[in-house]
Amino acid sequence: MTTQIVHLNGKFMPIEDARVPVLDRGFIFGDGVYEVIPAYAREPFALDGHLERLEASMAGIGLSNPHTRAQWAKLVGEVIAKNEPQDQAVYLQVTRGVAPRDHAFPEGVAPTVFIMSGPLKPVPAEQVENGVPAIALADNRWLRCNLKTTSLLANVLLRQAAVEAGAAECVLFRDGFLTEGSASNIFAVRAGKVLAPPKSNLILPGITYDVVLELAREGGIPVEVRPVPEAEARSADELWLSSSSKEVLAITTLDGKAVGNGRPGPIFQKVHALFQARKPRARAPAQVVGA
Ligand code: PMP
């Protein structure tokens, strides 16, 4: 096993040596934001979108951004370069720093910046082939789901409920409309059209969500970004989930009932193929002419 190198507050070190004081507000309050950025063939995927969302998350919780966009991009590149795998998942977290416990923001405290990267696990071929089971649950999270905060307790409990029901993800509904999953965005397909809940305070603006909709449009598939009533989602021909780690996957059962015919549908297959073609690949070694 090669050593995993992380970045903590301006320094690179083996993960075993990275320490954060117990009074860090990330630990005490979950007072921080994060990103997960996939890198294929050591190239971060949709980096600008991730950094833009990071900036929006920091602004959304009143956390002063310690770095410029270029500095963030450099740090992400350095962490990727210092770690072994070709395909990596970069985890980046910024908290409101270390201060005596008090809910109100501390003054003059530097944020804690932590970046680690591990192998990006390939999505199992079996899940691409057969899709995954999901359960429907009431979305009981707060009303600022557009911010990617480290306070993930509601998402943790929702995902655990899915796991205990033998499902891979939950499909969340609020006030009669589809929102998203515990850690993914959700799409429905009806009558050949992709239906996507619009970005609002009720869902995370997924970077993969943007890629999926862009690929669908490029592929000539009609897309409707509009509120999706629960009944439409429950009787959809296809349901999909998307995230940086799962890419795009078909949900083939919801609460144990088949979605469509219970197999990944034709529109999923088209978008999945377009997604695979979009991912950066390791470059073939240069050919030596005449050798
Ligand atoms: N919604 C939630 C609640 C998530 O946690 C995630 C994954 N971070 C997503 C959607 C998908 O976002 P992305 O495509 O940027 O990974």
Side-chain angles (χ1 to χ4, degrees):
M1 262 286 282
T2 47
T3 314
Q4 194 181 354
I5 301 296
V6 305
H7 172 98
L8 180 63
N9 296 327
K11 296 199 181 82
F12 293 92
M13 61 195 79
I15 192 159
E16 297 77 19
D17 297 342
R19 296 272 181 280
V20 179
V22 289
L23 285 180
D24 192 284
R25 291 176 63 95
F27 182 58
I28 297 284
F29 293 120
D31 185 0
V33 300
Y34 77 107
E35 275 299 324
V36 178
I37 307 164
Y40 299 101
R42 302 185 160 276
E43 204 180 302
F45 186 66
L47 180 62
D48 252 343
H50 283 281
L51 295 181
E52 197 178 311
R53 186 173 65 185
L54 174 70
E55 290 160 5
S57 296
M58 284 188 277
I61 68 161
L63 202 169
S64 61
N65 183 349
H67 295 307
T68 63
R69 178 85 60 99
Q71 286 169 335
W72 283 119
K74 184 163 181 273
L75 286 176
V76 168
E78 283 173 335
V79 171
I80 293 171
K82 287 178 193 298
N83 284 284
E84 193 85 342
Q86 285 296 307
D87 292 350
Q88 300 183 22
V90 180
Y91 176 89
L92 187 167
Q93 164 170 333
V94 190
T95 78
R96 211 182 305 274
V98 181
R101 186 181 181 280
D102 177 16
H103 289 58
F105 297 177
E107 278 183 31
V109 168
T112 300
V113 174
F114 174 60
I115 310 174
M116 66 177 167
S117 190
L120 177 66
K121 295 194 198 90
V123 182
E126 186 277 325
Q127 294 189 349
V128 176
E129 186 80 4
N130 299 319
V132 293
I135 60 168
L137 290 174
D139 192 341
N140 55 10
R141 300 172 302 159
W142 72 335
L143 295 175
R144 302 185 72 192
C145 296
N146 53 316
L147 304 176
K148 200 162 172 61
T149 72
T150 58
S151 322
L152 284 173
L153 185 54
N155 304 60
V156 164
L157 297 178
L158 290 164
R159 170 59 69 82
Q160 184 60 21
V163 167
E164 285 173 13
E169 181 55 299
C170 43
V171 175
L172 301 176
F173 295 102
R174 193 195 286 269
D175 299 332
F177 289 91
L178 171 66
T179 54
E180 58 179 343
S182 68
S184 58
N185 289 107
I186 307 283
F187 304 83
V189 175
R190 289 175 66 90
K193 272 188 222 150
V194 180
L195 309 180
K199 290 181 184 174
S200 76
N201 62 316
L202 301 181
I203 69 168
L204 187 80
I207 305 305
T208 323
Y209 167 107
D210 286 341
V211 174
V212 164
L213 290 185
E214 191 182 310
L215 292 173
R217 290 184 177 113
E218 279 175 22
I221 301 160
V223 169
E224 272 182 29
V225 177
R226 60 155 171 90
V228 180
E230 179 164 346
E232 283 193 26
R234 284 186 180 274
S235 59
D237 302 324
E238 302 184 22
L239 285 177
W240 313 339
L241 61 81
S242 78
S243 78
S244 293
S245 52
K246 293 290 179 186
E247 303 176 347
V248 56
L249 277 182
I251 292 171
T252 39
T253 64
L254 185 61
D255 291 339
K257 287 194 288 268
V259 176
N261 67 3
R263 303 289 311 157
I267 306 201
F268 164 76
Q269 281 166 359
K270 186 162 177 183
V271 169
H272 183 266
L274 291 170
F275 194 99
Q276 297 313 304
R278 171 69 66 94
K279 286 180 353 190
R281 306 230 163 263
R283 279 174 202 86
Q287 297 278 318
V288 181
V289 179

